[in-house]
Amino acid sequence: MPSSDTPAVPPRKSRGPREHREHREHREHREPTIPATRGDRADPGQIRTHPSAATAASGLDRFNAASPGAAEAALLACCGSRRWALRLSGHRPYPDLGALLAAADEASYDLTPADLAEALADESAGHQPHSGARGPGSLAAHTALRAAHAAYESRFGHVFVICLDGLRSDEVLDHVLAGIRARLGHEVDEERSVSADELRRIARARLTHLVAGHPESAPFRTA
């Protein structure tokens, strides 16, 4: 469990419903970065590109040296729970990517129901369009996906999340649709547990990209 000296975090304003529900499961592709200067944004990279040991070490060094506010902002792009982000930021420095991912897993397992609700609410904020399912039949598939999202949210009261790391773009839509249909049969407590584990996996993928040290990424700001 988080240490007793973890700073209190003020509640964030709740987010209203967003359009294009079929895009929500793609948020693991958002790019967590720490800008070089205020207002700068890094160009998007590919989350499936796994860093070499050298580039990961370089990116991790920058993450370890970043200012608390910059590190927490980047971590919030990996998981929307502020307590999760504060915990990982406060435990720096990390000796290697494995240690960071292990700490992230531990923090994910320790999410309270309120933390999980906060993280799930945050997942509705960033949507990206499907890159697969083009051609004949794709409109029907997207219509079915919208209906499945609506049924899921009506049953469980939060957005559907699923980790898509490692899938080809043409596999995404069918994988998501099958996942929603299978998980609609879960009891509420069971689905909450499954969603928490999917968020944990998504956070790991985002953290891996965060310290990947892609050349196009802006350097970490240390002050």
Side-chain angles (χ1 to χ4, degrees):
M1 294 299 291
S3 60
S4 59
D5 59 349
T6 299
V9 178
R12 289 193 290 179
K13 294 181 180 179
S14 60
R15 303 178 188 271
R18 298 291 300 270
E19 296 178 347
H20 308 299
R21 287 177 178 141
E22 71 272 19
H23 302 328
R24 285 175 179 160
E25 70 279 356
H26 274 277
R27 195 164 183 236
E28 71 270 18
H29 295 291
R30 63 185 175 182
E31 305 302 329
T33 60
I34 298 180
T37 58
R38 297 183 189 276
D40 288 347
R41 294 181 66 84
D43 293 332
Q46 293 296 322
I47 199 168
R48 294 191 181 95
T49 300
H50 296 286
S52 67
T55 58
S58 176
L60 185 62
D61 288 342
R62 296 196 304 274
F63 171 71
N64 284 333
S67 66
E72 289 157 18
L75 289 165
L76 279 171
C78 299
C79 176
S81 163
R82 287 197 172 188
R83 197 161 66 91
W84 183 93
L86 287 169
R87 175 171 171 170
L88 288 184
S89 175
H91 288 177
R92 293 177 299 158
Y94 296 96
D96 51 43
L97 176 60
L100 174 60
L101 295 180
D105 281 347
E106 183 179 356
S108 294
Y109 292 135
D110 286 345
L111 291 178
T112 66
D115 295 331
L116 178 59
E118 181 183 33
L120 286 169
D122 187 67
E123 290 300 311
S124 67
H127 311 146
Q128 295 185 13
H130 287 296
S131 55
R134 299 290 184 260
S138 63
L139 178 59
H142 282 278
T143 299
L145 186 60
R146 285 194 296 271
H149 271 295
Y152 180 93
E153 292 180 33
S154 176
R155 172 160 173 72
F156 297 111
H158 60 76
V159 298
F160 177 80
V161 291
I162 189 168
C163 182
L164 303 177
D165 193 42
L167 291 178
R168 299 194 314 268
S169 61
D170 61 351
E171 298 173 327
V172 167
L173 193 147
D174 286 344
H175 183 79
V176 173
L177 186 56
I180 296 177
R181 288 172 171 169
R183 287 162 58 180
L184 274 170
H186 289 171
E187 296 299 326
V188 172
D189 288 345
E190 180 184 12
E191 180 56 24
R192 184 180 297 112
S193 177
V194 172
S195 295
D197 196 59
E198 291 295 333
L199 285 175
R200 179 189 65 81
R201 295 175 60 211
I202 291 168
R204 285 178 62 94
R206 291 170 178 164
L207 282 169
T208 299
H209 181 76
L210 177 65
V211 301
H214 295 304
E216 72 274 14
S217 297
F220 291 88
R221 178 161 48 84
T222 58

